[in-house]
Amino acid sequence: MRELRVEEVRVSTPDMAPLVILAEVEGDRVLPIWMSATGAAAIVGATDDPDPYRPGIHDLVSDVVDTLGGTLQEVQIVAYDDGQFFAEVVVQGVPLAARPSDAIALALRTGCPIRCADDVLDTAGVHLNPPGVADRPEAPPEDQVQRCLLYTSPSPRDGLLSRMPSSA
């Protein structure tokens, strides 16, 4: 398993699904995951301060786990099949199936790590500096994003860029 961080959420046009880009913490690959607008909104919303009087579902799940004495240890992207990603949240060592968008939102809300199976990264990951391409100085983040989109999307379009905070 490799640790990932949320690099950004990209929302282009109403006819294109939002794109969440996860980046290896130690490595040069990114994992682009297309998802529903509500899934992407949950991920972006997980970076906002929670409302203790009107918790969102991810806040509620986190509170229930805490109240029952559990710990959300990590979330994992565990499989990729026919264009679909599969995830799990690990609570007290027990993996529970989850949608990737929910797992990522929970990770952002709770601060737990996001990990990805090596075979998923090998299959669906994109090298920002692919083998055979001349190495160059550190590229600016927007340039790296554009390169990722060129490798992953048949018709990349300009869109709203929502930078995610670094998980340091």
Side-chain angles (χ1 to χ4, degrees):
M1 289 268 181
R2 300 287 208 138
E3 187 169 354
L4 305 177
R5 70 178 182 281
V6 177
E7 186 66 25
E8 70 179 89
V9 177
R10 181 177 282 263
V11 179
S12 294
T13 62
D15 61 328
M16 289 185 68
L19 173 66
V20 175
I21 299 177
L22 303 175
E24 281 184 297
V25 171
E26 294 182 14
D28 74 335
R29 290 181 291 185
V30 294
L31 187 67
I33 301 178
W34 280 266
M35 61 183 56
S36 70
T38 55
I43 291 170
V44 172
T47 64
D48 296 335
D49 289 331
D51 182 345
Y53 302 107
R54 294 183 50 82
I57 189 64
H58 302 101
D59 300 313
L60 179 61
V61 168
S62 177
D63 290 346
V64 167
V65 169
D66 288 344
T67 299
L68 295 175
T71 302
L72 180 61
Q73 296 169 300
E74 66 183 14
V75 302
Q76 301 175 345
I77 309 298
V78 296
Y80 176 78
D81 184 40
D82 197 28
Q84 181 141 357
F85 291 91
F86 298 86
E88 295 175 345
V89 296
V90 180
V91 178
Q92 299 300 109
V94 177
L96 305 167
R99 295 181 300 189
S101 58
D102 290 330
I104 294 166
L106 277 167
L108 289 173
R109 180 56 85 202
T110 63
C112 76
I114 301 168
R115 301 197 196 287
C116 184
D118 290 330
D119 62 320
V120 172
L121 274 170
D122 292 343
T123 301
V126 177
H127 283 274
L128 290 178
N129 294 306
V133 174
D135 289 333
R136 58 185 204 153
E138 190 67 31
E142 178 59 19
D143 183 50
Q144 291 177 353
V145 170
Q146 291 303 320
R147 288 176 65 200
C148 170
L149 290 175
L150 287 174
Y151 283 104
T152 60
S153 176
S155 59
R157 300 180 187 175
D158 289 333
L160 172 65
L161 215 65
S162 176
R163 291 283 295 154
M164 300 305 294
S166 169
S167 59

